[in-house]
Amino acid sequence: MILRVAAMVAGMLAGLGAACAADIRAAVLRVDYPALAPISRFERVPDDLGFAGAALATEDNMTTGSFLGHSYVTETVAVSPEDAAGAVDALLADGVDLFVLLARDDDFLTLADRIGAAGLVFNAGARQTRLRDAECRANTIHVTPSHAMLADAVAQFTIWKKWPRWLLVQGSNPGDRALGAAYQNAAAKFGAKIAETREFEDTGGSRRTDTGHVLVQKQLPVFMQGAPRHDVVIAADASDVFAPYLPYHLWDPRPVMGAAGLRPVSFHAAHEAWGATQFQRRFEALTGRYLMEPDYDTWLALRVLGEAVTRTNGADIAALRSYILSDDFELAAFKGVPVTVRPWNGQLRAPVLLFDGRITVSVSPQDGFLHQVSPLDTLGLDRPESRCTAFE
Amino acid sequence: MLRYLVPALIAFAAGPAAANKVFVSNERGNSVTVLDSDTWEVLTEFPAGNRPRGITISPDGRELYVCASDDDLVRVFDPETYREMHTLPSGPDPELFVLHPSGNPLYIANEDDNLVTVVDTQSHTVLAEIPVGVEPEGMGVSPDGAWVVNTSETTNMAHFIDTSDFKIKHNVLVDQRPRFAQYSADGTKLFVTSEIGGTISVMDIADGGAPTLVDKIGFEVPGVLPEWLQPVGARITSDGKWLFVALGPANRVAVIDAETNAVVEYIPVGQRVWQLGFTPGEEFLITTNGNSNDITIIDVAAQKAIKSVQVGQQPWGVVVAPD
């Protein structure tokens, strides 16, 4: 492998006469939080979560860079929440100014501010809409979709299905409520009606479901009974506390969407359309496991960076940022249409896959939802409603 | 199988001499459908390995080559008996390939491994492996056989490989997801389709083979979202006048005046049109339509679709036997 890469660099640089050398050093910083194990073993968190996507993206960028004289080095750092700021300081002191962050929303903001205007930050994990709204940051490109984009993707599908009456069930943690608010906005935006909002209380370690399926089967239907007429149950469970138990344990037989049943995702390991099969195979050959959303979001963040380096033929932060935010920027991301970036808040425009756990059931934006700029702008916060001013 | 084969052979024998066999690879059906270019009737369908995609035939019409992508090899069939004669090593996940105009060697894009593999069709051995960009796909060969152009879908380049020493001599950045490279018959132009970029990069080719990017062709169809206008397969008439481009999910083939680079017509065909193939005299152009499981036959002079014919599951590539 090393021999091959070396040969490529030597043999192929001649191709593009104007090639200028550039060394791109980026860091992927992942903040690991103390958390319960996921409800399903299938969602067990691997040690290389996100980093595996970074490894593939770096290989991809290196291959392309070998024709242009660009080389890429990606450092991956996993830290506790307490050590995150120190880790950023150390990387900055070491000369790194390109960051991919996998952190929760409040920590994301703290770290992005610490990196400051001299750096460029890619958000691959924080999904709350406020980071793209009043709390946006000029140094940040949000590669991962916002809660608003994900909720809008589900809302469009329910409207396309003519299932407009929702029973919204949200968790009791702040993140769950923020997600619930995104679904309420989505309902208002696309004309769905929320028949009732119910809150499922997170009682901490003693999950209602710890006792196994026998009690879940008895207790969850009781929690769900007595709801007004509805077509679909929407689950807003950002904390992974209850949603996976909802399908088959409702009172009224209805489809579940959101955090269980039909889930809006940036990507999933079964997706095959638009050339995704070859991407999945490359990922699996490199890492020995299936791809997860943070892997895709991290891969995409580094590919956005790599594409900007390729097209601007350099590593100047200001030039990279302005190219990524320009109309010229577009990137193929195995979603059938080019992904681009909203220049007014730094959010990547991308389709959202609707995944049932085995296959891609549908992809939003749905047919018929139009927008004067791009159909992709029917998903998430739109320019007229945004309070983001950092990009002006 | 026999039940279909016997009447088909009789019908073929009774047909006019001008008829050629049309071979369509069915990516999901794991088969090749054979049609008659005179009656456009299906003669037979035969198994062709796992996930057959790229398909081509030797200049003498004696060997039919199929990229069996999931078998990691090229299967070679007898176009008369449909029996597998032998296989060729291809490297992993062969998708698309191109034959040297002389019939040897075969240049294969290995999508999973960032390689172009060169295989001798006589000795059945690998002559070279050439590292290229990420997800190599499109393969074009210059009419004099001196150059092979590979397009890499994630690197977004056209790599110009010198066939005398298998070294890359030129790289040209094009738009997102380049899928196909097509030289004009006189070798002075090269067209590269970019599926996600929605454009065709037009290059002038100098005498020594060096490319210069001179134009980009875009597409516009009223009532069709621009995102769905995704150029994939392309073929140009040998007089250099008309370039036909399959537009994928737009379900249309664009007709481009190759002298002015203006799009003059959009011909409606089946769903998710992928690859194209001419009949030997260029009277007809055949399109593979992956989502409607059919092919559409276009009258080249009239620039109109005349017929669609059901084939196997998810037709991918097409080639017509020479006269």
Side-chain angles (χ1 to χ4, degrees), chain A residues 1 10 115 126 135 180 205 233 276-277 287 302 337-338 369:
Chain A
M1 182 49 125
I115 292 161
E135 295 174 68
V233 173
T277 309
T287 66
L302 289 171
V337 298
F369 290 93

Side-chain angles (χ1 to χ4, degrees), chain A residues 8 12 15-16 60 63-64 67-68 275 278 281-282 303 307 310-311 330-332 334 336-338 375, chain B residues 51 70 93 111-112 131-135 153-157 159 168-169 171 174 176-177 196-197 227 230:
Chain A
M8 283 166 66
M12 294 166 188
L16 285 158
D60 288 355
T63 303
T64 300
F67 299 103
L68 297 163
Q278 62 219 38
R281 290 213 238 191
R282 281 193 289 125
R303 281 291 301 130
E307 183 67 14
T310 300
R311 301 284 170 175
E330 61 174 22
L331 183 64
F334 305 101
V337 298
Chain B
R51 205 174 175 207
D70 281 358
D93 196 27
E111 198 164 46
D112 282 358
V132 292
V134 183
E135 291 176 18
E153 292 178 322
T154 289
T155 290
N156 301 316
M157 280 182 191
H159 308 285
I168 294 179
K169 299 290 168 66
N171 294 295
V174 295
Q176 298 292 311
R177 261 184 108 66
I196 295 294
E227 287 83 352
Q230 301 184 344

Side-chain angles (χ1 to χ4, degrees), chain A residues 131-345:
Chain A
L131 271 55
R132 289 86 170 155
D133 197 5
E135 295 174 68
C136 69
R137 297 292 188 271
N139 67 348
T140 298
I141 305 295
H142 300 281
V143 173
T144 201
S146 64
H147 281 163
M149 290 169 68
L150 300 170
D152 287 353
V154 172
Q156 287 190 7
F157 185 68
T158 67
I159 298 302
W160 190 91
K161 294 292 296 179
K162 302 195 191 317
W163 295 343
R165 291 184 67 87
W166 298 1
L167 173 58
L168 176 63
V169 187
Q170 67 184 37
S172 59
N173 296 308
D176 306 328
R177 288 178 182 154
L179 184 56
Y183 277 105
Q184 284 173 352
N185 287 341
K189 187 168 167 184
F190 296 106
K193 202 167 222 73
I194 297 185
E196 187 188 324
T197 302
R198 238 167 237 209
E199 191 157 288
F200 188 100
E201 198 186 340
D202 181 2
T203 52
S206 137
R207 296 180 180 195
R208 198 178 300 213
T209 48
D210 281 352
T211 42
H213 72 273
V214 176
L215 279 178
V216 174
Q217 190 168 335
K218 285 179 181 161
Q219 293 181 1
L220 208 45
V222 176
F223 171 72
M224 293 301 296
Q225 87 181 108
R229 183 171 66 81
H230 57 281
D231 302 314
V232 54
V233 173
I234 303 287
D237 177 19
S239 320
D240 191 39
V241 169
F242 66 95
Y245 299 106
L246 286 177
Y248 307 104
H249 292 309
L250 300 175
W251 188 269
D252 302 302
R254 294 291 180 272
V256 177
M257 300 183 191
L262 193 67
R263 288 184 284 141
V265 295
S266 60
F267 219 71
H268 64 83
H271 189 63
E272 294 211 83
W274 305 308
T277 309
Q278 62 219 38
F279 171 67
Q280 309 277 11
R281 290 213 238 191
R282 281 193 289 125
F283 181 88
E284 288 156 19
L286 182 69
T287 66
R289 64 170 174 84
Y290 285 135
L291 171 134
M292 302 176 83
E293 273 189 285
D295 298 313
Y296 176 79
D297 291 345
T298 305
W299 174 83
L300 187 53
L302 289 171
R303 281 291 301 130
V304 169
L305 171 63
E307 183 67 14
V309 171
T310 300
R311 301 284 170 175
T312 62
N313 197 16
D316 178 67
I317 296 267
L320 293 175
R321 178 180 177 275
S322 82
Y323 178 76
I324 291 167
L325 292 172
S326 76
D327 285 348
D328 290 336
F329 174 80
E330 61 174 22
L331 183 64
F334 305 101
K335 290 189 168 181
V337 298
V339 299
T340 56
V341 175
R342 292 176 185 145
W344 43 270
N345 76 346

Side-chain angles (χ1 to χ4, degrees), chain B residues 84-170:
Chain B
E84 184 175 305
M85 302 157 74
H86 55 267
T87 62
L88 297 174
S90 70
D93 196 27
E95 175 161 5
L96 200 51
F97 51 20
V98 68
L99 264 177
H100 188 278
S102 70
N104 193 23
L106 186 64
Y107 304 92
I108 306 165
N110 299 121
E111 198 164 46
D112 282 358
D113 240 28
N114 305 344
L115 290 175
V116 165
T117 301
V118 186
V119 178
D120 188 306
T121 56
Q122 300 304 309
S123 67
H124 308 173
T125 54
V126 173
L127 301 177
E129 285 185 343
I130 306 153
V132 292
V134 183
E135 291 176 18
E137 161 116 5
M139 298 292 294
V141 63
S142 64
D144 61 3
W147 297 91
V148 162
V149 175
N150 163 253
T151 66
S152 47
E153 292 178 322
T154 289
T155 290
N156 301 316
M157 280 182 191
H159 308 285
F160 287 71
I161 301 166
D162 184 334
T163 56
S164 67
D165 59 6
F166 303 129
K167 292 222 163 76
I168 294 179
K169 299 290 168 66
H170 312 282

